[in-house]
Short mmCIF file of all heavy atoms in Angstrom, two decimals:
data_model
loop_
_atom_site.label_atom_id
_atom_site.label_comp_id
_atom_site.label_asym_id
_atom_site.label_seq_id
_atom_site.Cartn_x
_atom_site.Cartn_y
_atom_site.Cartn_z
N SER A 1 -64.06 -138.87 47.29
CA SER A 1 -62.67 -138.89 47.16
C SER A 1 -62.22 -140.32 47.08
O SER A 1 -62.96 -141.29 47.32
CB SER A 1 -61.92 -138.36 48.42
OG SER A 1 -62.34 -139.09 49.56
N THR A 2 -61.03 -140.59 46.57
CA THR A 2 -60.60 -141.94 46.31
C THR A 2 -59.65 -142.36 47.41
O THR A 2 -59.03 -141.55 48.10
CB THR A 2 -59.76 -142.06 44.96
OG1 THR A 2 -58.72 -141.15 44.95
CG2 THR A 2 -60.69 -141.78 43.79
N VAL A 3 -59.56 -143.62 47.65
CA VAL A 3 -58.66 -144.24 48.66
C VAL A 3 -57.40 -144.76 47.97
O VAL A 3 -57.45 -145.14 46.83
CB VAL A 3 -59.32 -145.31 49.41
CG1 VAL A 3 -60.63 -144.74 50.16
CG2 VAL A 3 -59.73 -146.47 48.49
N ALA A 4 -56.35 -144.84 48.73
CA ALA A 4 -55.06 -145.35 48.12
C ALA A 4 -55.26 -146.86 47.98
O ALA A 4 -55.92 -147.65 48.78
CB ALA A 4 -53.97 -145.17 49.23
N ILE A 5 -54.75 -147.30 46.85
CA ILE A 5 -54.85 -148.77 46.44
C ILE A 5 -53.58 -149.13 45.78
O ILE A 5 -53.10 -148.50 44.84
CB ILE A 5 -56.13 -148.98 45.47
CG1 ILE A 5 -56.24 -150.48 45.12
CG2 ILE A 5 -56.07 -148.02 44.29
CD1 ILE A 5 -56.68 -151.31 46.27
N ASP A 6 -53.01 -150.26 46.26
CA ASP A 6 -51.70 -150.63 45.71
C ASP A 6 -51.90 -151.79 44.58
O ASP A 6 -51.08 -151.85 43.64
CB ASP A 6 -50.83 -151.23 46.83
CG ASP A 6 -50.45 -150.25 47.83
OD1 ASP A 6 -49.69 -149.37 47.51
OD2 ASP A 6 -50.86 -150.38 49.02
N GLY A 7 -52.81 -152.62 44.82
CA GLY A 7 -53.00 -153.60 43.72
C GLY A 7 -54.50 -154.11 43.58
O GLY A 7 -55.24 -154.12 44.52
N ILE A 8 -54.79 -154.52 42.39
CA ILE A 8 -56.10 -155.11 42.07
C ILE A 8 -56.02 -156.33 41.25
O ILE A 8 -55.42 -156.33 40.18
CB ILE A 8 -56.97 -154.04 41.28
CG1 ILE A 8 -57.18 -152.69 42.03
CG2 ILE A 8 -58.30 -154.59 40.90
CD1 ILE A 8 -57.87 -151.62 41.23
N VAL A 9 -56.53 -157.43 41.76
CA VAL A 9 -56.57 -158.63 41.00
C VAL A 9 -57.90 -158.66 40.28
O VAL A 9 -58.90 -158.79 40.88
CB VAL A 9 -56.53 -159.91 42.00
CG1 VAL A 9 -56.55 -161.21 41.21
CG2 VAL A 9 -55.16 -159.82 42.76
N ALA A 10 -57.75 -158.46 38.96
CA ALA A 10 -59.01 -158.34 38.09
C ALA A 10 -59.44 -159.63 37.53
O ALA A 10 -60.56 -159.72 36.94
CB ALA A 10 -58.78 -157.27 37.10
N MET A 11 -58.59 -160.70 37.59
CA MET A 11 -59.01 -162.09 37.23
C MET A 11 -58.88 -162.32 35.72
O MET A 11 -58.28 -163.26 35.24
CB MET A 11 -60.35 -162.44 37.68
CG MET A 11 -60.45 -162.64 39.16
SD MET A 11 -59.34 -164.01 39.78
CE MET A 11 -59.72 -163.91 41.49
N ASN A 12 -59.50 -161.39 34.87
CA ASN A 12 -59.35 -161.62 33.44
C ASN A 12 -59.34 -160.23 32.71
O ASN A 12 -59.53 -159.17 33.32
CB ASN A 12 -60.55 -162.44 32.89
CG ASN A 12 -61.85 -161.82 33.11
OD1 ASN A 12 -62.05 -160.69 32.61
ND2 ASN A 12 -62.75 -162.44 33.73
N ASP A 13 -58.90 -160.25 31.48
CA ASP A 13 -58.60 -158.95 30.76
C ASP A 13 -59.87 -158.21 30.48
O ASP A 13 -59.81 -156.95 30.36
CB ASP A 13 -57.86 -159.30 29.46
CG ASP A 13 -56.38 -159.68 29.78
OD1 ASP A 13 -55.94 -159.64 30.90
OD2 ASP A 13 -55.66 -159.92 28.72
N PHE A 14 -60.98 -158.85 30.42
CA PHE A 14 -62.32 -157.97 30.24
C PHE A 14 -62.44 -157.16 31.50
O PHE A 14 -62.75 -155.95 31.42
CB PHE A 14 -63.37 -159.06 30.10
CG PHE A 14 -64.75 -158.40 30.14
CD1 PHE A 14 -65.23 -157.53 29.21
CD2 PHE A 14 -65.57 -158.53 31.26
CE1 PHE A 14 -66.42 -156.86 29.23
CE2 PHE A 14 -66.81 -157.96 31.35
CZ PHE A 14 -67.20 -157.10 30.33
N VAL A 15 -62.31 -157.83 32.65
CA VAL A 15 -62.57 -157.01 33.93
C VAL A 15 -61.39 -155.96 34.05
O VAL A 15 -61.60 -154.90 34.39
CB VAL A 15 -62.60 -157.94 35.07
CG1 VAL A 15 -62.54 -157.13 36.41
CG2 VAL A 15 -63.74 -158.83 35.10
N ALA A 16 -60.17 -156.41 33.68
CA ALA A 16 -59.08 -155.40 33.82
C ALA A 16 -59.22 -154.22 32.96
O ALA A 16 -58.90 -153.09 33.31
CB ALA A 16 -57.74 -156.18 33.44
N SER A 17 -59.74 -154.44 31.72
CA SER A 17 -59.96 -153.27 30.81
C SER A 17 -60.96 -152.36 31.39
O SER A 17 -60.79 -151.16 31.37
CB SER A 17 -60.46 -153.83 29.48
OG SER A 17 -60.69 -152.79 28.59
N ALA A 18 -62.11 -152.83 31.98
CA ALA A 18 -63.06 -152.04 32.68
C ALA A 18 -62.54 -151.34 33.88
O ALA A 18 -62.83 -150.16 34.23
CB ALA A 18 -64.33 -152.85 33.03
N VAL A 19 -61.61 -152.04 34.64
CA VAL A 19 -60.91 -151.42 35.82
C VAL A 19 -60.02 -150.23 35.31
O VAL A 19 -60.10 -149.22 36.05
CB VAL A 19 -60.03 -152.50 36.45
CG1 VAL A 19 -59.11 -151.82 37.47
CG2 VAL A 19 -60.91 -153.45 37.27
N VAL A 20 -59.21 -150.42 34.24
CA VAL A 20 -58.41 -149.36 33.83
C VAL A 20 -59.33 -148.08 33.43
O VAL A 20 -58.93 -146.92 33.76
CB VAL A 20 -57.60 -149.76 32.53
CG1 VAL A 20 -56.99 -148.68 31.85
CG2 VAL A 20 -56.64 -150.83 32.94
N ASP A 21 -60.41 -148.34 32.76
CA ASP A 21 -61.29 -147.13 32.39
C ASP A 21 -61.85 -146.46 33.75
O ASP A 21 -61.87 -145.25 33.77
CB ASP A 21 -62.45 -147.66 31.52
CG ASP A 21 -61.97 -148.07 30.18
OD1 ASP A 21 -60.93 -147.66 29.74
OD2 ASP A 21 -62.73 -148.81 29.45
N GLU A 22 -62.31 -147.25 34.67
CA GLU A 22 -62.83 -146.65 35.79
C GLU A 22 -61.84 -145.98 36.76
O GLU A 22 -62.09 -144.93 37.33
CB GLU A 22 -63.71 -147.77 36.60
CG GLU A 22 -64.41 -147.23 37.81
CD GLU A 22 -65.50 -146.25 37.35
OE1 GLU A 22 -65.91 -146.16 36.21
OE2 GLU A 22 -65.93 -145.35 38.22
N LEU A 23 -60.63 -146.51 36.87
CA LEU A 23 -59.66 -145.89 37.63
C LEU A 23 -59.28 -144.50 37.06
O LEU A 23 -59.07 -143.51 37.80
CB LEU A 23 -58.29 -146.71 37.57
CG LEU A 23 -58.24 -148.02 38.48
CD1 LEU A 23 -57.05 -148.80 38.17
CD2 LEU A 23 -58.37 -147.65 39.89
N THR A 24 -59.27 -144.40 35.62
CA THR A 24 -59.08 -143.10 35.05
C THR A 24 -60.17 -142.11 35.34
O THR A 24 -59.92 -140.95 35.71
CB THR A 24 -59.01 -143.29 33.48
OG1 THR A 24 -57.96 -144.23 33.15
CG2 THR A 24 -58.74 -141.99 32.80
N LYS A 25 -61.48 -142.56 35.39
CA LYS A 25 -62.61 -141.73 35.74
C LYS A 25 -62.57 -141.31 37.18
O LYS A 25 -63.03 -140.21 37.50
CB LYS A 25 -63.93 -142.47 35.38
CG LYS A 25 -64.16 -142.70 33.90
CD LYS A 25 -65.42 -143.55 33.72
CE LYS A 25 -65.59 -143.86 32.16
NZ LYS A 25 -66.87 -144.63 32.01
N LEU A 26 -62.10 -142.22 37.97
CA LEU A 26 -62.04 -141.94 39.45
C LEU A 26 -60.94 -140.93 39.76
O LEU A 26 -60.83 -140.43 40.93
CB LEU A 26 -61.86 -143.14 40.21
CG LEU A 26 -63.14 -144.10 40.38
CD1 LEU A 26 -62.74 -145.36 41.01
CD2 LEU A 26 -64.29 -143.38 41.00
N GLY A 27 -60.01 -140.61 38.81
CA GLY A 27 -58.94 -139.67 39.04
C GLY A 27 -57.59 -140.34 39.40
O GLY A 27 -56.68 -139.52 39.74
N TYR A 28 -57.41 -141.58 39.39
CA TYR A 28 -56.13 -142.17 39.65
C TYR A 28 -55.17 -141.87 38.37
O TYR A 28 -55.63 -141.86 37.25
CB TYR A 28 -56.25 -143.76 39.71
CG TYR A 28 -56.88 -144.11 41.09
CD1 TYR A 28 -58.27 -144.23 41.12
CD2 TYR A 28 -56.05 -144.36 42.22
CE1 TYR A 28 -58.93 -144.66 42.37
CE2 TYR A 28 -56.74 -144.67 43.42
CZ TYR A 28 -58.07 -144.82 43.48
OH TYR A 28 -58.77 -145.18 44.70
N THR A 29 -53.95 -141.56 38.70
CA THR A 29 -53.09 -141.10 37.79
C THR A 29 -51.81 -141.94 37.76
O THR A 29 -51.37 -142.58 38.71
CB THR A 29 -52.67 -139.65 37.96
OG1 THR A 29 -52.09 -139.50 39.21
CG2 THR A 29 -53.96 -138.70 37.85
N GLY A 30 -51.06 -141.88 36.68
CA GLY A 30 -49.74 -142.47 36.52
C GLY A 30 -49.88 -143.75 35.76
O GLY A 30 -50.86 -144.05 35.02
N SER A 31 -48.93 -144.57 35.85
CA SER A 31 -48.84 -145.89 35.10
C SER A 31 -47.60 -146.61 35.58
O SER A 31 -46.99 -146.27 36.58
CB SER A 31 -48.73 -145.60 33.52
OG SER A 31 -47.40 -145.09 33.22
N ALA A 32 -47.32 -147.72 34.85
CA ALA A 32 -46.11 -148.41 35.22
C ALA A 32 -44.84 -147.60 35.11
O ALA A 32 -43.83 -147.86 35.77
CB ALA A 32 -45.94 -149.72 34.33
N ALA A 33 -44.92 -146.65 34.14
CA ALA A 33 -43.69 -145.78 34.02
C ALA A 33 -43.48 -144.93 35.25
O ALA A 33 -42.35 -144.61 35.57
CB ALA A 33 -43.89 -144.87 32.73
N ASP A 34 -44.57 -144.68 36.03
CA ASP A 34 -44.37 -143.82 37.26
C ASP A 34 -44.03 -144.75 38.36
O ASP A 34 -43.16 -144.41 39.25
CB ASP A 34 -45.67 -143.18 37.59
CG ASP A 34 -46.18 -142.13 36.55
OD1 ASP A 34 -45.23 -141.35 36.12
OD2 ASP A 34 -47.33 -142.22 36.17
N ILE A 35 -44.65 -146.00 38.34
CA ILE A 35 -44.21 -146.93 39.41
C ILE A 35 -42.75 -147.37 39.25
O ILE A 35 -42.10 -147.63 40.26
CB ILE A 35 -45.21 -148.13 39.34
CG1 ILE A 35 -46.56 -147.71 39.66
CG2 ILE A 35 -44.81 -149.34 40.26
CD1 ILE A 35 -47.69 -148.74 39.37
N ASN A 36 -42.36 -147.38 38.03
CA ASN A 36 -40.94 -147.90 37.79
C ASN A 36 -40.29 -146.61 37.09
O ASN A 36 -40.35 -146.53 35.90
CB ASN A 36 -40.90 -149.07 36.90
CG ASN A 36 -41.51 -150.19 37.56
OD1 ASN A 36 -40.83 -150.98 38.24
ND2 ASN A 36 -42.76 -150.44 37.35
N PRO A 37 -39.63 -145.69 37.85
CA PRO A 37 -39.15 -144.47 37.25
C PRO A 37 -38.15 -144.72 36.11
O PRO A 37 -37.96 -143.90 35.17
CB PRO A 37 -38.42 -143.86 38.41
CG PRO A 37 -39.11 -144.32 39.58
CD PRO A 37 -39.56 -145.70 39.28
N SER A 38 -37.53 -145.90 36.11
CA SER A 38 -36.52 -146.24 35.09
C SER A 38 -37.19 -146.62 33.79
O SER A 38 -36.52 -146.81 32.68
CB SER A 38 -35.52 -147.30 35.54
OG SER A 38 -36.24 -148.55 35.67
N ILE A 39 -38.52 -146.86 33.76
CA ILE A 39 -39.16 -147.31 32.61
C ILE A 39 -39.94 -146.11 31.90
O ILE A 39 -40.64 -145.43 32.60
CB ILE A 39 -40.18 -148.44 32.99
CG1 ILE A 39 -39.46 -149.61 33.48
CG2 ILE A 39 -40.95 -148.83 31.64
CD1 ILE A 39 -40.46 -150.79 33.86
N SER A 40 -39.76 -145.97 30.67
CA SER A 40 -40.45 -144.98 29.89
C SER A 40 -41.09 -145.76 28.70
O SER A 40 -40.74 -146.86 28.41
CB SER A 40 -39.59 -143.83 29.40
OG SER A 40 -38.62 -144.42 28.44
#
């Protein structure tokens, strides 16, 4: 199961891209549009 996580400092965009892919595989859902309901 996954644990709740509020923020990840990935340092650079190469790591950030891999983080985005792995978060998706781990089942994390949503995006900035969910974090900010007024943003679509």
Side-chain angles (χ1 to χ4, degrees):
S1 62
T2 55
V3 299
I5 179 74
D6 295 297
I8 298 175
V9 178
M11 293 298 182
N12 62 58
D13 285 359
F14 169 72
V15 175
S17 178
V19 165
V20 167
D21 291 342
E22 187 59 23
L23 286 173
T24 302
K25 292 177 183 178
L26 290 173
Y28 288 88
T29 59
S31 68
D34 299 313
I35 295 171
N36 298 270
S38 65
I39 296 179
S40 63

